[in-house]
């Protein structure tokens, strides 16, 4: 059964879902704005980003969209 959920939040929140294996596909939107020190999305995941592949990338001067899917377990 396929289920779709949407989450928004700090990278530390999304990292918890990633470490738990709860995300099969994710769509990230990046804007060229830095507020404060920021938090790196893929830090502290111990190689987990290697399990995901960027399957779509679309950019413009104001935003970049990337879609990642998890490979076979």
């Amino acid at each position: 059964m396929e289920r779709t959920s949407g989450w928004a939040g700090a990278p530390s929140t999304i990292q918890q879902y990633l470490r738990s294996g709860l995300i099969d596909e994710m769509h990230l939107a990046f804007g060229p704005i830095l507020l404060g020190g920021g938090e790196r999305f893929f830090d502290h995941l111990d190689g987990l980003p290697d399990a995901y592949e960027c399957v779509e990338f679309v950019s413009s001067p104001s935003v970049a969209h990337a879609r990642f899917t998890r490979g076979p377990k």
Side-chain angles (χ1 to χ4, degrees):
M1 173 187 288
E2 185 175 322
R3 295 183 182 163
T4 302
S5 296
W7 291 300
S12 60
T13 303
I14 305 304
Q15 289 170 356
Q16 291 177 39
Y17 288 104
L18 287 168
R19 278 193 292 277
S20 297
L22 298 174
I23 298 178
D24 294 324
E25 183 177 314
M26 58 184 156
H27 170 224
L28 304 177
F30 303 94
I33 298 173
L34 178 63
L35 303 174
E39 193 173 355
R40 294 174 57 100
F41 189 84
F42 290 112
D43 276 359
H44 315 296
L45 292 175
D46 301 322
L48 185 64
D50 294 335
Y52 290 85
E53 178 183 4
C54 181
V55 295
E56 183 178 15
F57 184 81
V58 179
S59 67
S60 74
S62 59
V63 68
H65 294 269
R67 188 168 58 94
F68 295 87
T69 59
R70 183 171 54 191
K73 293 180 182 181

